[in-house]
Amino acid sequence: MLVDQDTLDRRLGAEGYLADEGLLTALHLAGTLGLPLLLEGEPGVGKTEVANVLARILGRELIRLQCYEGLDASQALYEWDYPKQLLSLRATEVEGRGVGDLYREEFLLQRPLLRSLRAASGAVLLIDEIDRADSEFEAFLLEFLGDFQITIPEIGTITAASVPFVVLTSNRTRELHDALKRRCLYHWIPFPDAERERAIIRAQAPGLDERSAARLVAAVHRIRGLALLKRPGIAESVSWARGVQTLTREGSSWLEAMRRSAGLLVKHEEDLALLGRHAAEVFGD
């Protein structure tokens, strides 16, 4: 990364992402030392958005690999376009030409990891929710991150034109292998404190005054203290703020708007019922 930490802070802020000092340091060191950045934290704290914003401020292409159970190397690296190869083969038979090479570039389907190696001006490679992938894929990924090259038997070895900035995210649904953690710079993103969450909400919900933002954030923090199935993240806080703004502009009182738009904040029937039972303490000033 060719920017210092203060410049990084300003550029992230200009994009509406307000990072704390710990995350800024992690981004700066990962970029300077050329290390993959592993971000863990609860859903909704802004892990994925780090990569999105980073790609914009660095002027790089964002390439995303969404992990899931059963993901294998071929789906992450490359595949051959067999239907297209078959059509080419039939065409040569009809025209009476030689078969030719069926393993040319035109038949190669580039998946995210290969695309990140071939990005001429570098890329931000987001490996999202690595904890959802199997352990076997995690082991393969460790090897890829060590060399930043792959070998395609029919073509040869492909090395990164420019080493991508790699961001891995995990919701910690399972523990990652120590070997992968050792390869990365690790950072845990917690829920923001009240002051920073107020700043985030005001940046993402223009027109919201300081007092209103403080009331919303106080309610969010009280709600997170309940025994919910899923605690709301920053994205839900911002959506709730926008929903409350909309309803108040249409004539609802602030308290009524907070109650009516609670479905923007909590996403389970049981959590809505729990919130209803604690409404007085949650929504009160």
Side-chain angles (χ1 to χ4, degrees), residues 6-73:
D6 290 338
T7 302
L8 180 63
D9 187 16
R10 289 194 299 272
R11 291 185 180 179
L12 287 171
E15 293 287 340
Y17 194 100
L18 305 181
D20 62 18
E21 185 178 5
L23 179 56
L24 285 170
T25 301
L27 285 167
H28 175 63
L29 289 178
T32 302
L33 301 177
L35 293 172
L37 176 61
L38 172 58
L39 299 176
E40 284 196 326
E42 295 200 44
V45 293
K47 301 184 297 294
T48 298
E49 187 61 16
V50 169
N52 292 326
V53 175
L54 193 62
R56 293 198 296 270
I57 67 176
L58 295 179
R60 295 189 180 191
E61 179 185 3
L62 175 67
I63 298 175
R64 179 177 180 176
L65 174 63
Q66 177 62 53
C67 297
Y68 53 87
E69 186 177 355
L71 177 66
D72 61 29

Side-chain angles (χ1 to χ4, degrees), residues 119-239:
S121 58
V124 173
L125 174 61
L126 169 61
I127 302 174
D128 212 8
E129 297 183 319
I130 182 61
D131 53 317
R132 294 179 61 184
D134 300 324
S135 297
E136 293 79 8
F137 180 77
E138 190 179 327
F140 156 75
L141 187 61
L142 181 64
E143 182 178 351
F144 172 82
L145 294 176
D147 299 332
F148 284 110
Q149 67 178 30
I150 65 169
T151 298
I152 302 175
E154 299 84 356
I155 293 177
T157 299
I158 298 174
T159 304
S162 176
V163 175
F165 192 116
V166 181
V167 177
L168 302 94
T169 73
S170 168
N171 292 327
R172 210 173 185 182
T173 58
R174 68 170 177 86
E175 283 294 325
L176 302 178
H177 291 178
D178 288 342
L180 181 62
K181 288 186 175 182
R182 284 195 298 269
R183 182 68 187 83
C184 302
L185 191 157
Y186 176 87
H187 182 71
W188 173 268
I189 300 183
F191 285 118
D193 59 29
E195 181 180 358
R196 193 161 68 88
E197 192 155 11
R198 285 197 301 271
I200 292 170
I201 287 177
R202 294 195 68 191
Q204 298 294 327
L208 191 67
D209 61 67
E210 180 64 33
R211 181 173 181 273
S212 299
R215 292 180 68 182
L216 278 167
V217 170
V220 169
H221 281 237
R222 286 193 287 264
I223 290 169
R224 287 187 185 138
L226 300 176
L228 301 173
L229 294 176
K230 181 183 180 299
R231 293 191 291 174
I234 300 171
E236 287 81 13
S237 298
V238 171
S239 294

